[in-house]
Amino acid sequence: MPRPVLVLDLDGTVCLGDTPALLYATRVAALTDAPEVLLETTEAFLGQRLPENASKTLTGAQDGYEAVKILGLAAGVSEEELSAAYVWSRTAMSEQPGDIRTPEGLVDLLAGVDAHRVIMTNSPAKGLDAILEHLGVRDVVDEVHTDALKPTRMSRHLDELLDAVGAADRPEWLMSVGDIWRNDLAPAVERGCVAAYVDVFDRRQGPAHVRAGSLVDLYSAVLDWSNDPSAFIAAHPLKESVQC
């Protein structure tokens, strides 16, 4: 029998805290004419206290990173400058982790689950080992894929992982867990894999087999799936807004 494959997103899923987005915002804000405005708006987004007159584009941002990008582009920051700011922020986070942390109990979950555990992130490799060490997850994952280019290459990554464990024709043996539907879950749904949606901001962007506002509330689903993937997907049909 193949071994189940558990694919976990990093930011917003395994790694919680405002520090990553705030470091990014700090770098982007420095490229604008009104840095304090961008920083204050980022903090308001992260605290879910944007004013009622905020643009729908901003209020609908999937996470802090997307909010900063929206604000930066509106302030005239180029895509190239945003990309460089993102890379800088990841290196800075490895040296200034601030409030980053894992969801309570995640290390124990990963240590005990019978699955091949993979972190899949768009983050660059530089500085990531220090971040994973700070989070305490380095020794409870089997693979780390950096610069993953989600969502463009996510389907390819899923295919390769299924092939590696001998489950190419049994996609339900892979569960993808993440907070950005288009990046982490849409490719999994298309492939027939199990999609576990950490819908922090209640965006309900697309279907999933299970959904909750935090990863903690999905732990029992992860364990049930790992014990019998086929029975799990049969018991949890794909739904637009299923809530655990």
Side-chain angles (χ1 to χ4, degrees):
M1 295 289 285
R3 190 182 184 202
V5 182
L6 179 63
V7 179
L8 297 157
D9 171 55
L10 183 60
D11 289 282
T13 304
V14 169
C15 179
L16 305 181
D18 292 341
T19 295
L22 290 175
L23 286 171
Y24 180 43
T26 298
R27 193 69 165 187
V28 173
L31 302 172
T32 71
D33 294 331
E36 66 285 348
V37 173
L38 190 146
L39 286 171
E40 289 172 2
T41 307
T42 299
E43 290 171 353
F45 174 88
L46 293 171
Q48 299 189 48
R49 48 181 177 79
L50 285 171
E52 292 185 1
N53 63 350
S55 71
K56 290 184 178 180
T57 302
L58 180 59
T59 58
Q62 297 300 293
D63 61 7
Y65 277 110
E66 186 173 17
V68 173
K69 182 176 182 178
I70 290 167
L71 292 168
L73 289 172
V77 181
S78 70
E79 290 278 1
E80 292 76 13
E81 289 172 322
L82 288 168
S83 179
Y86 172 72
V87 173
W88 175 89
S89 74
R90 303 307 294 188
T91 302
M93 188 170 73
S94 69
E95 301 167 354
Q96 308 167 47
D99 71 341
I100 67 169
R101 63 198 183 279
T102 58
E104 184 177 357
L106 178 63
V107 173
D108 290 338
L109 174 76
L110 294 179
V113 69
D114 184 15
H116 185 72
R117 304 149 302 180
V118 181
I119 287 179
M120 187 77 65
T121 176
N122 285 342
S123 177
K126 185 177 180 182
L128 189 58
D129 275 343
I131 293 169
L132 297 179
E133 190 69 31
H134 177 83
L135 293 171
V137 300
R138 194 65 187 89
D139 295 332
V140 291
V141 295
D142 302 295
E143 288 186 52
V144 177
H145 289 251
T146 61
D147 297 296
L149 294 178
K150 298 185 288 183
T152 306
R153 294 189 181 177
M154 186 61 166
S155 294
R156 183 189 305 177
H157 294 309
L158 300 183
D159 285 340
E160 290 173 350
L161 289 167
L162 286 166
D163 286 342
V165 299
D169 59 345
R170 304 173 81 171
E172 71 274 12
W173 283 69
L174 186 148
M175 173 184 273
S176 183
V177 186
D179 66 317
I180 306 296
W181 190 83
R182 65 174 178 266
N183 286 2
D184 307 307
L185 306 175
V189 168
E190 182 178 355
R191 182 67 174 81
C193 302
V194 178
Y197 192 178
V198 185
D199 193 5
V200 179
F201 294 104
D202 196 30
R203 295 293 187 245
R204 304 187 185 219
Q205 291 294 306
H209 296 89
V210 288
R211 182 182 71 91
S214 73
L215 180 54
V216 173
D217 292 329
L218 293 173
Y219 288 172
S220 61
V222 171
L223 291 172
D224 288 346
W225 160 81
S226 67
N227 289 330
D228 192 338
S230 298
F232 181 87
I233 201 168
H236 298 83
L238 201 62
K239 294 181 180 178
E240 286 294 331
S241 59
V242 63
Q243 177 78 37
C244 285

